Structures are given as C-alpha cells and as structure tokens.
Amino acid sequence: MYFLSVISALIALGQACPMHGLPDHVAAENNINVANLRKRGWVRPAPQKIAITNVHIFDGFEYDNQTSTVLIDGSFIGSDAANATIIDGKGATLMPGLIDNHNHPTTIADLKNLSSYGVTTTMCMSCWVATDHCESLRNQPGLTDFYSAGFSAVVPNSSHSKLAEMNPAVNAPEYFIYNSSMCPGWVKDRFNTGSDYIKLVAEAYPPSMTKDEHNIIVKTAHQYGYWTMTHASTLDTYNMAIESGTDIIQHTPADEPLSDASIAKILAGGHYVTPTINIYQYTQAATVSLGLTTEQTANLNQTVPSNVKRIYDAGIPILAGTDGSINSNGPADIYFGSSLHQELEMLNSYGVSNVDVLKAATSRAAVAYNMLDRGVIAPGMRADLLLVRGNPLVNISKTREIEKVWIAGIEYEG
Ligand SMILES: *[C@@H]1O[C@H](CO)[C@@H](O)[C@H](O)[C@H]1NC(C)=O
Ligand SMILES: *[C@@H]1O[C@H](CO)[C@@H](O)[C@H](O)[C@H]1NC(C)=O
Ligand SMILES: *[C@@H]1O[C@H](CO)[C@@H](O)[C@H](O)[C@H]1NC(C)=O
Ligand SMILES: *[C@@H]1O[C@H](CO)[C@@H](O)[C@H](O)[C@H]1NC(C)=O
Ligand SMILES: *[C@@H]1O[C@H](CO)[C@@H](O)[C@H](O)[C@H]1NC(C)=O
Ligand SMILES: *[C@@H]1O[C@H](CO)[C@@H](O)[C@H](O)[C@H]1NC(C)=O
Ligand SMILES: *[C@@H]1O[C@H](CO)[C@@H](O)[C@H](O)[C@H]1NC(C)=O
Ligand SMILES: [Zn+2]
C-alpha cells in the first residue's frame, strides 16, 4: 500500500511537471526499480540538456541559411546551453517533428513506425476498432503523440460502415447515424468518450448522411468548441462539406476537375484541405469507396494531381496526411511513417513548393488543429524535432535522411 501511494504521488508529480523525472535518491530511498517503471511508461527519463550546434534550421516557417544552435531542455526547446551535451549538426537541417494529418494507427507498433520516421504527432481520422483500444495509444512517453476522432459519423450499410463492421470488437449499431434528431446527442457522446475532434463521412454513393445531418453535426461540434473533419472525395461531397461549414476537408475530388466556383467557396469558407494523395495510388481501394466510373478511374492520375495543384494555386491551405492504415483497419495497406515522406514528395511533384510542403506537415498543421505548443522551433515549444542530413528545402526527399528524432525531448532510438 505504502509503495503504491508513493508511486501515485510520484506519477502525479511527474504529470504536473513533465520536465522532471524521478530523482535517483527518491527511487533509492523507496526501493523503486526505475528501469521497470520506465518500461511501463510511468517515468520519463531524467531531464537532459542537448545542444545541437552548427545546424541549419527550418523553424516551421523558413530555412535559415546561417547555422546556429538549438537547445533541448527536458521536454521543451530551451535557450541556456550551459552544461549541455553537444551534438554537432554540421551538414544537417533541424526541423520540427512531422505531423501526419490523417491516418488510422491502432497499435503501439504503428506508433513506433511513425516515431522512427520522424512523425511526432498523429491525427487519427477515425478509429474503427473499439474506442477504448485507440484510447490506449494516448500519452505514450517517447512515442508519437496521438489524437483521435474516435468513431466517425457514418450511416448503416454505407461503404464506410463496412470498415467498422469488419472489426468484430465494435458493437457498431450504437455508433451509427440514423436520423437528424439524434445528431446533437451523437456529437455529445463523442466528446464524452474522448474524441479530440469530429469526423464526418460524406459518402460518394448511397446510403449516406443527409445534408441536414452534416449541417447539424458540424454546428453542434462548433457549439462545443470542437473542430470537424469531413471525408469527401467527389465534387458533390466536396460541396456537401463546404456547405456544412466543416473545418478541414479530407481527400481530393477524384471524379471531375474542381470548378472555379467550388474553389472560390473553399476559399471563402476558410477550409483547410488534406489531399491524402497516398490513397489514390491504391486504385482499387480508392474506387471501391469512391464509386468511380471506369473512365474516371483511368483518369485518377490526371484528376487528382490537377485538383491538388488548383487548390494550392488558389491559396487554400494544404495539410499533409496519408490515410495510413494496415491490417484491414482502412481501405489499403499504407505504411505508417514512410507514407508521410511519400506524401510530401507527391505534393511536391504536383507543384507544391518545398517550403509549403514542409509547412503542411509542421507549422500549418499545428495552427490548423490549434496545437500551439508544437510545429515550430522556438524556445518554450515541445522538443519535437527531426534532424536530417542535407536540405529538404532544395530536395524534399532529404526528409528521409533521418539522423535523429526527439519526441518531447526523448530521443527515439530504433
Ligand atoms: C538561402 O538558401 C536558399 C535555399 O537554400 C537559397 O535559395 C537562397 O538564395 C539563400 N539565400 C542567401 C541570402 O544565401
Ligand atoms: C554547470 O556545471 C557547473 C559545474 O558542474 C555548475 O557549477 C553550474 O552551476 C552548471 N550550470 C548550469 C546552468 O547548470
Ligand atoms: C513498419 O513499416 C515498414 C515499412 O515502412 C513495414 O515493412 C513494417 O511492416 C511496418 N511495421 C509495422 C509493425 O507496421
Ligand atoms: C442494412 O442492410 C440489411 C440487409 O443487408 C438490412 O436488413 C437492414 O435493414 C439495413 N439497415 C438499414 C438501417 O438500412
Ligand atoms: C432516431 O434514431 C434513434 C436511434 O436509432 C432513435 O432512438 C430515435 O427514435 C430516432 N428518432 C426519430 C425521430 O426517428
Ligand atoms: C497511377 O500512377 C501510379 C504511380 O504513381 C501507378 O502505380 C498507377 O498504375 C497509375 N494508375 C493508372 C490508372 O494509370
Ligand atoms: C534527393 O535526395 C534523395 C535522398 O537523399 C536522393 O536519393 C536523390 O538522389 C536526391 N535528388 C537529387 C536530384 O539530388
Ligand atoms: Zn482515412
């Protein structure tokens, strides 16, 4: 009992003050096996100071042609380099850790893969497995920081409800949308079960939610002060998303070129767009959920790049997301971590400049989700950092040349 209460007091302390680990003398006096606690993720490694010197910095906004020093002080970026361990960053670029704005991790192994590729924050766009399963991915010290929509707003028998029903751990019926009068309560349930934002699915073909249901869900979420994300992959569903006033539109219209009128409405509505180009590389998966004609499918490789370019050229803010998912929890096997680097390369090849591609996975993403403690290198921010060889402002693939990754100041090794 005594042992347990000491542990809970220490855990409470650790949470109140994340920069401080368990002091060695406290561990010794209480006969606490620190290594064992660390394995369970209860105790952070002792705070340390690391100075990365002689390094070029992409701070989330721009590349600094001069080299300088960045200090990791515990979980945060600091400013006093006294007594820090030095890492020579000559020839490298230090950038904010990457944010994958759309994926579906379900296991700790998925988070490890994300971490190893420098993805320090991940926005899960629906968890089709039991909600408490995804909850267990939160707050894992030293691993990718996990946020989730929980269960998406989908109607029974729709193409996306099938993804949920594939998983026997889900007692799906109680999560579905049946009519507009239940929508406010459904939104409330999401927040009461830990969702960070709401995900809606505008299906490309029936059955699908009505316009009323979309509008009510978005309006209710906004009343609670929460963001909404809408899956939309055709012109009609884009319009449904725009009219509902959703915050971030997920995917790219794949059936037809976006009209000038739609572009103007996206701009006027202040929507962000996460194109998720990765998913369109998996033609079969894409068309099963999109219901495209043979001709439209054959033209995917023209329609998607040109719509992404039109969105970008119009000045609509783009976010980088992959739709990463494996083991049947999503529409295709898109590997966690590596796919985000591929997304950055594809955005770049479609005409998005290097600096805008990097912002789409760092500072712009942090602003879009109101995560104002990250996405930028500056004193006081979370020490979510990625050290890469070379300059990704010149060659975007240099984000793959990873030397080191820190997540809230903890180096990811392995
Ligand atoms: C700074 O670097 C960028 C890209 O690396 C380059 O285009 C630019 O000319 C450089 N500016 C100066 C002042 O050296
Ligand atoms: C650095 O280390 C020296 C010697 O151990 C110590 O006297 C000094 O207070 C330390 N400075 C800081 C800022 O920790
Ligand atoms: C991690 O990603 C690599 C490829 O990027 C893949 O081969 C491997 O299976 C993934 N591991 C897990 C556990 O998903
Ligand atoms: C879903 O489809 C099944 C048959 O496949 C049907 O029995 C059921 O009534 C449908 N549910 C709704 C809500 O339409
Ligand atoms: C809406 O659906 C819910 C859940 O199935 C049901 O309890 C409720 O009676 C329905 N309301 C209306 C007005 O149909
Ligand atoms: C589209 O491009 C990808 C490679 O980027 C290729 O694998 C795929 O076969 C192409 N699809 C069509 C329909 O040409
Ligand atoms: C860009 O960087 C990648 C990764 O280091 C490398 O394989 C590729 O050759 C580079 N491309 C150019 C044009 O230098
Ligand atoms: Zn998705």
Side-chain angles (χ1 to χ4, degrees), residues 345 389 395-401:
E345 289 164 347
R389 184 109 316 248
N395 173 353
I396 198 67
S397 300
K398 294 297 174 192
T399 61
R400 291 179 184 272
E401 302 264 333

Side-chain angles (χ1 to χ4, degrees), residues 22-323:
L22 179 65
D24 287 347
H25 72 274
V26 176
E29 283 156 19
N30 292 285
N31 197 20
I32 291 170
N33 181 342
V34 176
N36 201 27
L37 282 185
R38 264 184 204 146
K39 251 187 268 165
R40 300 194 204 174
W42 283 1
V43 177
R44 291 160 197 267
Q48 50 177 339
K49 265 190 174 185
I50 297 164
I52 303 148
T53 59
N54 302 314
V55 76
H56 286 285
I57 298 170
F58 170 72
D59 66 357
F61 300 104
E62 58 188 8
Y63 179 80
D64 188 350
N65 287 10
Q66 309 291 317
T67 59
S68 51
T69 295
V70 169
L71 190 81
I72 299 175
D73 191 347
S75 306
F76 301 99
I77 296 171
S79 48
D80 174 11
N83 297 353
T85 306
I86 307 272
I87 290 176
D88 188 357
K90 191 164 187 294
T93 302
L94 186 70
M95 51 183 291
L98 300 171
I99 299 172
D100 187 336
N101 289 275
H102 183 141
N103 65 8
H104 305 273
T106 54
T107 65
I108 295 291
D110 296 343
L111 292 188
K112 287 183 177 168
N113 246 1
L114 285 164
S115 304
S116 72
Y117 281 95
V119 181
T120 55
T121 301
T122 197
M123 313 310 290
C124 173
M125 274 306 137
S126 72
C127 184
W128 301 116
V129 299
T131 316
D132 56 353
H133 183 156
C134 285
E135 286 304 299
S136 69
L137 301 188
R138 292 180 188 276
N139 300 316
Q140 295 289 335
L143 291 180
T144 307
D145 204 18
F146 174 89
Y147 293 87
S148 177
F151 212 83
S152 301
V154 295
V155 298
N157 292 353
S158 61
S159 93
H160 284 78
S161 78
K162 302 276 190 280
L163 290 172
E165 284 160 353
M166 271 187 321
N167 198 304
V170 174
N171 183 13
E174 70 190 64
Y175 292 113
F176 291 144
I177 301 293
Y178 294 95
N179 54 56
S180 60
S181 49
M182 67 166 283
C183 289
W186 184 91
V187 171
K188 201 170 174 182
D189 285 348
R190 298 285 70 69
F191 295 123
N192 286 340
T193 52
S195 294
D196 297 296
Y197 37 82
I198 288 286
K199 170 84 183 300
L200 304 88
V201 176
E203 299 282 359
Y205 55 91
S208 59
M209 282 196 294
T210 64
K211 195 184 260 197
D212 248 15
E213 287 161 356
H214 275 274
N215 296 351
I216 292 169
I217 290 171
V218 170
K219 190 170 155 219
T220 311
H222 287 170
Q223 279 167 352
Y224 287 116
Y226 288 99
W227 268 235
T228 60
M229 319 289 145
T230 303
H231 165 109
S233 51
T234 59
L235 287 189
D236 285 351
T237 53
Y238 246 63
N239 285 329
M240 181 89 96
I242 294 164
E243 281 172 33
S244 72
T246 199
D247 297 290
I248 306 182
I249 308 175
Q250 305 289 333
H251 311 298
T252 309
D255 54 344
E256 304 287 341
L258 270 166
S259 66
D260 289 343
S262 296
I263 292 277
K265 279 197 265 178
I266 300 171
L267 264 177
H271 308 277
Y272 285 79
V273 169
T274 305
T276 70
I277 303 164
N278 264 275
I279 190 66
Y280 298 104
Q281 309 301 301
Y282 299 84
T283 318
Q284 201 193 339
T287 53
V288 165
S289 75
L290 301 186
L292 301 181
T293 64
T294 315
E295 195 194 344
Q296 286 167 339
T297 304
N299 287 335
L300 265 183
N301 281 354
Q302 283 80 51
T303 318
V304 171
S306 86
N307 278 340
V308 170
K309 177 91 165 63
R310 279 175 60 67
I311 288 168
Y312 173 65
D313 287 345
I316 294 159
I318 286 181
L319 305 177
T322 59
D323 217 352

